[in-house]
Amino acid sequence: MRHVAALAGVGIKTVSRVMNDEPGVSEATRQRVLGASQQLNYQLDMAAGSLRRTGRQTLSVGLLLPSVANPFSSEIHRAMEDSLAARGIAVFAASLDDDPEREKSLVAAFLGRRVDGLVLTPIARSQAYAIPEHSRDLPMVFIDREPVGVEADAVVTDNAVGAARAAAHLIGHGHTKLAYLGDRPDIQTARERRRGFIEELGRAGQSTAAVPVREGLHDEESARQAALEILTSENPPTAIFSSQNLITFGVMRALKELGASRRVALVGFDDFSLADMMEPGITVIAQHPERIGKLAAERLLARIDGDGGAPQTYVVPSELIQRGSGELRPPAG
């Protein structure tokens, strides 16, 4: 704060008023202080009092997820809480909504509260904006998607491998008319799952040019509409691969509306509660978010405790779980 005050040519109390958005400061002075704070990459320390602890730790970490409402995200959150509770470390979670600007603002908010580390599912094109803090020994671990522009540990699923396994499974049950329903193509995991699925079709000698591909499906309703469209087309698929659980929910609704749940095969990426209670049960490529959360917590603790080894990417294998929907065979003839 002293550096900001010196650069802006004001007193420390003026800097404090501006950073806390208090009255009594002219607009010209306010802008000068804000400009100086940006130039110096200054973040308001909202946990300064807590830094009097031994080791200057706040005993808190930030967890940034696509959406805490998504079952996959909530399982990661719970696994991290369970792993870090023994150290008395609290996990504060926030939803990114897969918005790059929201990612940056939430990272800044957590940094302002001096968390001891960050676990982040990135969506911005680059995470280079976090280098200043990371280089000052702020531990960071990325999950689900690998970072761009910054070197840090990452814990991910074998997305392309899992999607290829889904395609091979459907092909193995006699399907030659497959469709792909995917998330936004700007999301790393969505691109990998599409790549794995399409490449497996090619390896099996199937034409990929005619495969119905619907992307940009980020919620249940958009997936439902896309599934209804392809299932009522002139040449509907006999099998569908849905690339994440919210899309799977939308496909399930469409199949039920059309009375096609026992006629069209379905494999979804991501497991979910009660998948085995459907009729038929939903075959999935399970990601094991509990393992991802536990491993991310272990890596973060290791970095907090001083592990200075080279960053690594840890891959948690996915698993095909057969429950019935993915084992349906295409109609004869």
Side-chain angles (χ1 to χ4, degrees):
M1 189 180 289
R2 285 195 299 271
H3 294 157
V4 172
L7 183 60
V10 299
I12 291 179
K13 288 186 178 180
T14 300
V15 174
S16 177
R17 291 192 186 99
V18 171
M19 301 308 294
N20 286 286
D21 200 24
E22 296 176 0
V25 181
S26 70
E27 185 58 28
T29 300
R30 183 180 301 276
Q31 291 303 320
R32 199 161 68 250
V33 170
L34 291 176
S37 67
Q38 290 176 1
Q39 185 176 338
L40 295 173
N41 195 41
Y42 171 73
Q43 298 286 346
L44 178 63
D45 188 349
M46 300 186 70
S50 68
L51 296 181
R52 287 191 290 268
R53 292 193 186 97
T54 300
R56 294 178 61 80
Q57 293 185 342
T58 62
L59 296 180
S60 65
V61 299
L63 173 61
L64 285 76
L65 298 160
S67 172
V68 295
N70 187 303
F72 176 75
S73 296
S74 62
E75 287 189 52
I76 288 176
H77 186 187
R78 182 54 192 265
M80 285 195 58
E81 283 186 326
D82 290 345
S83 297
L84 296 173
R87 289 278 293 267
I89 297 176
V91 180
F92 298 111
S95 298
L96 295 172
D97 295 331
D98 281 327
D99 179 345
E101 292 306 313
R102 186 173 172 84
E103 173 188 320
K104 295 175 184 177
S105 65
L106 283 171
V107 167
F110 277 125
L111 294 179
R113 285 158 177 78
R114 291 300 181 192
V115 292
D116 298 331
L118 280 177
V119 176
L120 169 64
T121 304
I123 183 59
R125 290 183 180 274
S126 171
Q127 285 67 54
Y129 64 86
I131 287 178
E133 289 293 336
H134 187 45
S135 64
R136 285 198 285 270
D137 298 324
L138 176 76
M140 299 181 72
V141 176
F142 291 83
I143 53 174
D144 195 33
R145 307 161 193 167
E146 296 183 60
V148 176
V150 60
E151 294 185 358
D153 290 330
V155 183
V156 300
T157 300
D158 55 353
N159 290 286
V161 172
R165 187 180 296 120
H169 185 71
L170 292 169
I171 292 169
H173 282 79
H175 294 278
T176 58
K177 296 163 60 178
L178 289 76
Y180 172 89
L181 273 65
D183 209 327
R184 286 167 28 192
D186 61 320
I187 297 175
Q188 184 184 102
T189 50
R191 293 195 304 272
E192 283 295 288
R193 291 171 194 174
R194 175 182 174 175
R195 179 176 68 83
F197 182 80
I198 296 298
E199 287 181 355
E200 182 61 31
L201 294 186
R203 283 191 291 268
Q206 295 199 15
S207 171
T208 59
V211 175
V213 172
R214 300 292 184 274
E215 295 182 292
L217 311 175
H218 207 51
D219 56 34
E220 183 177 325
E221 180 55 25
S222 61
R224 171 183 163 273
Q225 293 288 348
L228 287 172
E229 176 202 337
I230 63 172
L231 289 168
T232 56
S233 63
E234 291 185 2
N235 187 29
T238 62
I240 294 175
F241 172 61
S242 52
S243 74
Q244 55 112 311
N245 53 18
L246 297 182
I247 296 175
T248 301
F249 299 157
V251 174
M252 290 167 58
R253 288 189 179 278
L255 291 173
K256 183 177 180 181
E257 287 181 40
L258 298 173
S261 298
R262 292 186 174 275
R263 189 172 71 249
V264 177
L266 170 64
V267 176
F269 206 110
D270 289 337
D271 200 6
F272 58 93
S273 179
L274 302 182
D276 60 329
M277 299 297 290
M278 302 296 106
E279 287 293 340
I282 306 301
T283 296
V284 300
I285 302 296
Q287 288 201 77
H288 300 301
E290 74 287 351
R291 298 181 194 172
I292 294 173
K294 184 175 184 294
L295 183 52
E298 290 174 355
R299 291 311 308 151
L300 193 67
L301 279 177
R303 296 300 184 183
I304 289 174
D305 290 341
D307 182 349
Q312 296 185 51
T313 294
Y314 301 84
V315 179
V316 178
S318 59
E319 175 187 5
L320 173 67
I321 301 177
Q322 302 182 41
R323 296 195 179 105
S325 69
E327 292 67 59
L328 296 172
R329 291 189 172 273

